């Protein structure tokens, strides 16, 4: 059974702001009955101040879908529209003291409904940017569609590469069989064969230092920094998909300080993301690289933030 | 006088604390751990706790590395068959001549199906030749399966070192640690062991519960497919009561591992020395310097094991000859044959395997009981003369009819 937090249970048993909203000027509908999850978010936004004065929801879905919707309305009431647009699915999950990984998509749906409702208020069309497929990686709530898209777009060949791009497979590893199946399928489409025997028997959890080239590898420091920025740029679309971002702050020899922004910062996945960036940087630069969160640069080490997605 | 149980490598008594921990899961907390209602939720939590207790005993880095199975045999079969599925182009397996039938019989079947099985030989003390191992270890090998401790002699194999060597060439390494867990300190996160089998009933948990440890990142294909249990790696509703019992047993094993290696070992040594001092023509098999603390395997020459067991049983002492599975067959055990123990001795090997419940009083009773039993059987043996073996026994008595 799901280990729901007390906060999730509270918002399920006593949901706030339920029902249709008379005079709503921003309505966002997401999901469908066929996926078993559908959510309508109705907002009253003051057109002069852009403040969300009221928010209500109607949800068809599981316990955590209802709790996420309830949490969302509580979070955004009183916010300005621009502020509300920055609310991420992790904010919703954090507000609820975490959601089980299998249920993270409920918070994603909340964020999407919010974006749709605000678009509706502004008279825009909101483009649903992702289709949900079967959940492959439960540890990081990554579905088949997302993995398949990335394997295609970036010509990926191995589970490790998929993990670097999506986090999928970077936890308990029980989804590796599912990831390999997607790789096999897509690689077959492009006329390649997924070579089971060349896949490592055991994925190395710690990145191996690449000894081949000396630090810098013959690049000038400007060239090197440009390469680093290019790698971060290439990962950026993925981070943005999760409502986050990353920024290069400082390069000190083999240590690279990166600031994680938005959903990526402080969430349980930040360290995963950093591991992924580190891996990519090492591949790209051909040298051993240590990526450190930028907070470690200026301040004394701060208390680790509570991990919400236990 | 209560009977004395010295057959703990065959199976052990459940610890009363284990039984106590299990009882609520039959009548009160009988729910399915996957259910939403309150009957199930508590069971799910109890399984989580047990998983952590098992993880702690094995020194596994993550509790998700623990896959619950129905027994040691299932774990062994799952591990080997998984590797063959993961690496379909690799057609070789390395194992040893002295494995449990859970591995050997499977390998024999795979051999019929076209796989090449390399069975590492052992020397007279039951030790492996690591040079032979390294020669065979190539990228054509799908998996190496080598037991941690032998069930008949207690001899330990250098599995940690062997796992390093396998890892270096990218070959998965599995160890049947059914006899070792709880008796030998194990810290899997520091090793390159990919898979390890555990059986509950060898460490005072019930029969019919096992574990397959699977290192995070090691490629794996399930044997059972079905529900989402064990993260899809072993489908089937969890044997909740037994899992809880195994968790408790692991916690108790952690507490007693020192005791096993001091007190239990001292009793075993006392038993062995007591018998060797009084009985002529007997010797310890296996590697006495490198073995489980609870096991003594003694070969009594010129007599047959079953006779010894029956007379011991009459005296209220339970032991076994070779492995429990080979009794009932007239062949001496494959382990004794592999060590090249002569037939005149191999047939008379007796395994005494102790547990933390044995007492010195019991051990002294056994030391007193064994010499007259051996003497009585030797009196009947055509290979034994007035007060020693006949000269050249195999020639002295060579029946024409076999
Ligand atoms: C070394 C070894 N492996 C495997 C097994 C089989 O375990 P289970 O009885 O749980 O299937 C045994 C027990 O007889 C054993 O001693
Ligand atoms: S399910 Fe993907 S890493 Fe655990």
């Amino acid at each position: 059974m799901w280990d729901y937090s007390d906060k999730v249970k509270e918002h399920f048993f006593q949901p706030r702001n339920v029902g249709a909203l008379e005079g709503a000027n921003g309505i966002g509908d997401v999901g469908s009955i066929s996926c078993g999850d559908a959510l309508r978010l109705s907002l009253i936004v003051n057109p002069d101040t852009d403040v969300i004065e009221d928010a209500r929801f109607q949800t068809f879905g599981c316990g955590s879908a209802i709790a996420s919707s309830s949490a969302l309305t509580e979070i955004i009431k009183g916010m300005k529209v621009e502020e509300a647009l920055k609310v991420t699915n992790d904010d919703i999950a954090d507000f609820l003291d975490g959601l089980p990984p299998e249920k993270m998509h409920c918070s994603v749906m909340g964020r999407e409904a919010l974006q749709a409702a605000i678009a509706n208020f502004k008279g825009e069309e909101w483009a649903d940017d992702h289709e949900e497929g079967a959940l492959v990686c439960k540890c990081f709530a990554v579905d088949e569609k997302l993995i398949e898209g990335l394997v295609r777009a970036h010509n990926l060949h191995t589970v490790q590469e998929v993990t670097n791009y999506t986090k999928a497979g970077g936890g308990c590893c029980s989804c590796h069989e599912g990831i390999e199946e997607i790789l096999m399928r897509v690689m077959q489409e492009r006329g390649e064969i997924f070579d089971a025997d060349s896949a490592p028997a055991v994925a190395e959890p710690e990145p191996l230092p690449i000894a081949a080239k000396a630090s810098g590898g013959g690049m000038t420091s400007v060239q090197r920094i440009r390469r680093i920025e290019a790698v971060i740029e290439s990962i950026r679309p993925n981070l943005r998909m999760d409502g986050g971002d990353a920024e290069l702050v400082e390069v000190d020899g083999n240590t690279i300080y990166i600031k994680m922004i938005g959903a990526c910062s402080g969430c349980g996945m930040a360290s995963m993301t950093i591991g992924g960036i580190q891996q990519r940087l090492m591949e790209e630069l051909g040298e051993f690289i240590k990526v450190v969160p930028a907070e470690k640069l200026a301040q004394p080490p701060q208390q680790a933030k509570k991990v919400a997605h236990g | 006088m209560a009977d004395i149980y010295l057959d703990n490598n065959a199976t052990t008594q459940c610890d009363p604390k284990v039984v106590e921990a299990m009882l609520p899961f039959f009548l009160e907390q009988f729910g399915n751990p996957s259910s939403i209602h309150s009957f199930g939720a508590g069971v799910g939590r109890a399984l989580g706790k047990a998983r952590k207790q098992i993880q702690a005993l094995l020194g596994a880095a993550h509790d998700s590395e623990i896959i619950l199975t129905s027994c040691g045999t299932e774990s062994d079969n799952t591990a080997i068959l998984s590797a063959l599925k993961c690496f379909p182009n690799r057609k070789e397996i390395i194992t040893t001549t002295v494995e449990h039938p859970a591995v050997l019989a499977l390998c024999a079947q795979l051999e019929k199906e076209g796989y090449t099985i390399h069975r590492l030989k052992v020397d007279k003390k039951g030790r492996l030749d690591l040079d032979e191992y390294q020669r065979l270890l190539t990228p054509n090998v799908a998996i190496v399966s080598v037991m941690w401790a032998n069930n008949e002699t207690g001899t330990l194999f250098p599995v940690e070192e062997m796992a390093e060597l396998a890892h270096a060439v990218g070959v998965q390494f599995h160890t049947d640690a059914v006899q070792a867990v709880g008796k030998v300190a194990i810290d899997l996160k520091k090793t390159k062991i990919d898979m390890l089998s555990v059986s509950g009933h060898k460490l005072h948990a019930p029969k019919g519960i096992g574990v397959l440890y699977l290192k995070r990142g090691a490629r794996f294909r399930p044997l059972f497919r079905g529900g989402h249990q064990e993260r899809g790696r072993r489908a089937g509703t969890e044997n909740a009561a037994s899992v809880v019992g195994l968790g408790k047993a692991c916690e108790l094993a952690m507490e007693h591992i020192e005791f096993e290696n001091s007190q239990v070992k001292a009793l075993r040594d006392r038993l062995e020395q007591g018998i060797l001092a009084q009985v002529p023509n007997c010797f310890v098999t296996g590697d006495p310097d490198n073995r489980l603390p609870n096991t003594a395997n003694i070969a009594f020459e010129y007599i047959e094991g079953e006779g010894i067991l029956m007379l011991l049983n009459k005296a209220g002492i339970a032991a076994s000859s070779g492995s429990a599975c080979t009794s009932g067959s007239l062949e001496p055990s494959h382990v004794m044959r592999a060590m090249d123990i002569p037939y005149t001795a191999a047939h008379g090997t007796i395994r005494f395997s102790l547990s933390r419940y044995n007492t010195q009083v019991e051990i002294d009773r056994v030391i007193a009981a064994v010499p007259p039993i051996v003497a009585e059987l030797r009196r009947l043996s055509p290979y034994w003369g007035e007060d020693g073996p006949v000269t050249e026994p195999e020639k002295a008595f060579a029946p024409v009819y076999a």
Side-chain angles (χ1 to χ4, degrees):
Chain A
M1 234 311 280
W2 312 120
D3 229 347
Y4 282 138
S5 71
D6 290 339
K7 204 73 179 280
V8 172
K9 288 186 201 150
E10 185 198 321
H11 275 264
F12 171 72
F13 289 119
Q14 287 116 31
R16 326 288 201 271
N17 313 310
V18 179
L21 187 55
E22 185 107 11
N25 57 357
I27 291 181
D29 291 344
V30 294
S32 77
I33 192 138
S34 63
C35 346
D37 268 330
L39 162 59
R40 163 171 289 180
L41 179 70
S42 311
L43 307 176
I44 293 181
V45 184
N46 183 326
D48 301 324
T49 60
D50 262 4
V51 168
I52 298 172
E53 292 184 336
D54 204 357
R56 293 223 191 149
F57 77 91
Q58 290 158 286
T59 291
F60 167 83
C62 63
S64 52
I66 290 170
S68 295
S69 310
S70 167
L72 171 67
T73 54
E74 288 287 280
I75 293 172
I76 59 170
K77 272 211 283 184
M79 272 189 175
K80 285 193 133 189
V81 165
E82 289 318 308
E83 257 180 294
L85 276 174
K86 291 192 197 124
V87 172
T88 66
N89 65 307
D90 285 302
D91 293 333
I92 299 170
D94 282 347
F95 185 88
L96 292 168
D97 293 337
L99 284 171
E102 290 92 336
K103 296 289 187 180
M104 282 302 281
H105 67 273
C106 297
S107 61
V108 173
M109 195 173 68
R111 173 172 160 264
E112 289 175 349
L114 177 60
Q115 307 243 328
I118 292 176
N120 177 255
F121 160 72
K122 291 181 174 170
E124 296 164 0
E125 192 73 38
W126 177 71
D128 182 357
D129 57 1
H130 96 278
E131 228 182 311
E132 226 180 283
L135 192 61
V136 172
C137 178
K138 294 185 176 175
C139 286
F140 293 110
V142 183
D143 67 45
E144 193 176 353
K145 285 270 166 19
L146 180 61
I147 298 176
E148 198 175 317
L150 287 163
V151 170
R152 280 218 174 80
H154 299 278
N155 211 27
L156 307 184
H157 294 84
T158 64
V159 173
Q160 187 62 52
E161 286 175 338
V162 171
T163 305
N164 293 346
Y165 272 90
T166 65
K167 297 168 250 180
C172 73
C173 299
S174 355
C175 57
H176 284 196
E177 181 180 13
I179 297 175
E180 284 184 8
E181 267 165 24
I182 298 173
L183 282 166
M184 273 177 214
R185 191 169 66 232
V186 178
M187 286 173 69
Q188 198 170 16
E189 283 169 16
R190 57 182 193 234
E192 294 174 61
I193 292 173
F194 175 80
D195 182 4
D197 288 322
S198 77
V202 185
E204 287 285 349
E206 65 273 76
L208 286 174
I210 298 165
K213 291 186 206 162
S215 175
M219 278 180 275
T220 68
S221 56
V222 174
Q223 283 171 331
R224 189 158 167 266
I225 287 175
R226 285 209 185 110
R227 287 281 273 280
I228 295 170
E229 295 226 280
V231 170
I232 295 174
E233 192 55 45
S234 74
I235 301 172
R236 197 158 269 152
N238 281 311
L239 301 176
R240 294 228 169 111
M241 196 148 20
D242 294 336
D245 206 343
E247 195 178 284
L248 178 64
V249 175
E250 174 68 294
V251 179
D252 178 11
N254 286 341
T255 309
I256 296 180
Y257 293 89
I258 290 181
K259 187 168 171 210
M260 306 301 291
I261 300 164
C264 300
S265 76
C267 92
M269 297 171 187
S271 59
M272 268 309 305
T273 315
I274 283 190
I277 297 177
Q278 173 167 302
Q279 186 77 26
R280 287 287 315 268
L281 281 170
M282 285 199 290
E283 284 164 15
E284 194 59 38
L285 300 177
E287 59 179 305
F288 180 72
I289 293 292
K290 187 163 185 286
V291 174
V292 176
E295 301 87 78
K296 300 248 166 75
L297 186 61
Q299 306 150 1
Q302 52 178 171
Q303 279 263 292
K305 215 180 139 182
K306 121 186 148 289
V307 174
H309 324 287
Chain B
M1 248 186 317
D3 285 0
I4 301 169
Y5 188 73
L6 293 184
D7 199 11
N8 287 281
N9 287 11
T11 194
T12 60
Q13 182 192 12
C14 275
D15 190 296
K17 291 198 185 111
V18 167
V19 177
E20 193 190 328
M22 289 172 68
L23 284 176
F25 294 89
F26 291 102
L27 293 175
E28 297 140 38
Q29 304 203 51
F30 60 85
N32 188 319
S34 302
S35 303
I36 291 215
H37 46 64
S38 62
F39 293 84
V43 184
R45 273 194 295 278
L47 294 188
K49 178 178 169 203
R51 209 179 287 281
K52 288 237 177 296
Q53 290 165 318
I54 299 165
Q55 176 197 358
L57 179 64
L58 299 181
H62 310 279
D63 61 358
S64 58
E65 294 176 330
I66 306 300
I67 301 177
L68 299 163
T69 67
S70 71
C71 61
T73 303
E74 183 192 325
S75 302
D76 289 345
N77 276 255
T78 305
I80 292 172
L81 294 172
S82 160
L84 298 183
K85 282 221 178 71
C86 285
F87 306 100
N89 300 329
R90 304 182 180 201
K91 302 288 185 201
E92 297 176 26
I93 297 171
I94 300 180
T95 183
T96 78
T97 49
V98 296
E99 296 300 306
H100 188 271
V103 169
L104 280 185
L106 173 66
C107 285
Q109 175 59 30
L110 291 167
E111 198 164 39
K112 286 184 206 151
E113 294 173 17
Y115 289 91
T116 302
I117 313 294
H118 303 290
R119 298 176 182 84
L120 299 174
K121 290 186 278 299
V122 295
D123 67 8
K124 287 185 161 42
K125 284 187 156 185
R127 295 171 301 197
L128 293 173
D129 173 1
L130 290 191
D131 289 336
E132 182 195 9
Y133 171 56
Q134 274 179 277
R135 274 197 304 278
L136 292 167
L137 201 53
T138 68
N140 299 328
V141 175
I143 187 166
V144 178
S145 179
V146 171
M147 68 201 323
W148 198 311
N150 186 270
N151 44 309
E152 294 190 32
T153 61
T155 304
L156 301 171
F157 283 149
V159 286
E160 290 158 300
E161 190 185 339
M162 294 175 84
E164 294 278 348
L165 293 169
H167 185 82
V169 289
V171 173
Q172 288 198 337
F173 189 92
H174 164 253
T175 180
D176 175 340
V178 164
Q179 294 293 347
V181 172
K183 299 172 203 154
V184 176
I186 292 179
D187 196 6
L188 285 171
K189 60 183 164 304
K190 299 219 177 88
T191 74
K192 292 283 194 289
I193 294 169
D194 298 306
M195 291 184 268
L196 173 142
S197 303
V198 183
S199 175
H201 71 100
K202 310 284 184 181
L203 62 146
H204 307 290
K207 290 142 191 75
I209 184 73
V211 166
L212 177 64
Y213 160 86
L214 174 68
K215 190 179 271 317
R216 177 170 285 191
R219 296 183 71 220
F220 182 75
R221 293 293 180 267
L223 185 63
F224 288 11
R225 296 190 188 258
H228 59 83
Q229 295 91 353
E230 305 304 297
R231 297 171 183 261
R233 296 169 303 181
R234 199 285 189 181
T237 300
E238 300 85 346
N239 181 355
S242 294
V243 175
V244 168
L246 177 58
K248 186 72 192 174
C250 285
E251 183 189 309
L252 295 169
M254 285 274 267
E255 287 167 16
H256 287 95
I257 202 148
E258 259 310 305
F259 187 87
E260 290 274 346
N261 285 282
S262 51
Q263 248 79 344
V264 176
K265 182 167 185 284
L267 286 182
R268 188 272 317 266
D269 291 342
R270 182 185 179 91
L271 172 70
E272 205 168 78
Q273 282 149 20
I275 291 173
L276 292 182
Q278 294 184 69
V279 179
N281 293 85
C282 70
F283 59 91
V284 173
T285 72
D287 184 1
D289 301 325
N290 186 28
R291 60 177 164 157
L292 293 174
N294 77 320
T295 309
N297 190 303
I298 302 177
F300 298 96
E301 290 180 283
Y302 312 111
I303 51 177
E304 207 279 324
E306 193 185 68
I308 308 175
L309 289 183
M310 286 168 69
L311 291 174
L312 280 173
N313 189 44
K314 207 167 137 218
I317 298 164
S320 82
S321 70
S323 112
C325 321
T326 54
S327 60
S329 111
L330 291 175
E331 286 287 293
S333 96
H334 67 286
V335 178
M336 296 304 146
R337 286 218 313 264
M339 292 191 294
D340 209 14
I341 306 276
Y343 276 89
T344 46
H347 281 288
T349 53
I350 298 295
R351 177 184 71 188
F352 301 97
S353 47
L354 284 65
S355 79
R356 57 180 186 253
Y357 301 132
N358 291 120
T359 63
Q360 187 166 324
V361 175
E362 288 179 329
I363 296 305
D364 289 344
R365 257 177 68 199
V366 179
I367 295 172
V370 168
I373 290 175
V374 174
E376 168 65 10
L377 288 168
R378 281 184 178 159
R379 206 171 56 80
L380 309 174
S381 168
Y383 298 111
W384 193 263
E386 201 51 41
D387 50 9
V390 296
T391 41
E392 294 199 67
E394 277 165 77
K395 281 197 201 133
F397 184 71
V400 267
Y401 305 108

